[in-house]
Amino acid sequence: MSTFLQKSPIFGPVLSRRFGVSLGVNLMPASGKICTFDCLYCEDGLNAERRTRDTYVTMDVLAPALERALSGIAERKEALDEVCLAGNGEPTASPIFPQAVDLCRTLIDRYVPSAKLAVLSNGTMASRPEVHDALMRVDRNVLKLDTVDPDYIALLDRPQVPYDVHKQVEAFASFGGHVIIQTIFVRGSYQGASLDNTDEAHVSAWLDAVEKIAPEAVTVYTIARDTPVSGIEKAPREVLDAIANRVRALGIPCSASY
């Protein structure tokens, strides 16, 4: 099915379902993906289909491009809700990620001080001290937790690095609440295996993990664009709403995107 790559090092602004008008910062090359997950639902395509010999963006490339984008937005007096480190893969895996966070903060303060700084991450690098410290310096530290079932993670998210979901939960809890948990809920099947993580067994175990992490907020969503493999189905609106209500019953704000 149709997928796409983002421009690099800057893309957008785009209208995000969850975070408003967002300017993307892509630390990966425009020619392919560099990711520690290989999710079946990734809008950028599967890793094998998006291989690249190009390397991560450097600070010499990022700094002038981001300043041009933000100064232009300021000059034109355009609305901007956030600057978001995301793009064609896992932003925290970039060797310049901490420096990129600081650059974004400096330029946001200079040109668009009302905008927030966000990171969309799968969380695989969250326990690294330099990454953890950098994530503490952003406004919206959005980390992925699609389930706590290792078999389901291997099926849907397909980690490309060693991944222990229970250690991930501990790492997310170590942010002391400065984290937004992002979870995709889907149905369907892949190669004969169920992709449904909306059943009670998955949801109740996930809720236990969310309660342990004690995030500032949770966002639940489902697929909205084409996926690189067939068989993945949207979770129904009423199912997402019911899950969101169970999160709110824990005293944690939760948004649902369809």
Side-chain angles (χ1 to χ4, degrees), residues 13-64:
V14 297
L15 183 60
S16 165
R17 285 186 292 168
R18 287 157 284 172
F19 304 121
V21 180
S22 177
L23 183 71
V25 175
N26 181 15
L27 301 182
M28 282 66 69
S31 58
K33 284 179 66 181
I34 306 176
C35 198
T36 54
F37 270 10
D38 191 17
C39 299
L40 295 180
Y41 56 83
C42 183
E43 63 192 26
D44 297 328
L46 299 180
N47 292 1
E49 300 168 350
R50 299 298 195 183
R51 296 195 187 282
T52 177
R53 294 183 179 180
D54 296 326
T55 59
Y56 290 103
V57 169
T58 65
M59 288 296 291
D60 289 344
V61 171
L62 176 61

Side-chain angles (χ1 to χ4, degrees), residues 70-231:
L70 291 180
S71 63
I73 288 170
E75 289 171 8
R76 295 186 297 271
K77 297 182 180 180
E78 295 174 352
L80 187 68
D81 296 309
E82 71 166 19
V83 173
C84 183
L85 287 145
N88 304 332
E90 175 49 42
T92 66
S94 166
I96 68 162
F97 175 72
Q99 295 94 324
V101 166
D102 293 338
L103 172 70
C104 289
R105 175 62 69 199
T106 296
L107 295 180
I108 288 170
D109 290 346
R110 182 180 303 167
Y111 295 110
V112 285
S114 64
K116 303 295 185 182
L117 176 56
V119 174
L120 298 183
S121 169
N122 61 32
T124 51
M125 305 293 176
S127 60
R128 290 187 176 183
E130 67 276 15
V131 172
H132 190 283
D133 291 347
L135 290 173
M136 289 296 293
R137 300 196 294 273
V138 307
D139 298 304
R140 294 172 175 152
N141 172 28
V142 185
L143 303 182
K144 172 168 290 299
L145 184 68
D146 289 339
T147 179
V148 292
D149 178 351
D151 292 335
Y152 186 88
I153 292 167
L155 175 66
L156 184 73
D157 296 328
R158 307 199 302 174
Q160 305 297 293
V161 294
Y163 187 90
D164 182 327
V165 67
H166 302 295
K167 290 183 179 178
Q168 288 297 115
V169 170
E170 293 175 0
F172 294 175
S174 73
F175 285 97
H178 183 64
V179 58
I180 298 170
I181 295 300
Q182 173 180 265
T183 302
I184 193 167
F185 286 98
V186 296
R187 288 182 171 175
S189 62
Y190 176 68
Q191 295 183 344
S194 172
L195 291 174
D196 189 353
N197 64 338
T198 68
D199 60 280
E200 181 59 27
H202 282 97
V203 172
S204 61
W206 172 81
L207 285 168
D208 288 343
V210 167
E211 189 169 23
K212 180 177 181 179
I213 294 166
E216 63 185 81
V218 171
T219 177
V220 297
Y221 68 113
T222 191
I223 55 172
R225 301 185 179 97
D226 284 345
T227 59
V229 302
S230 61

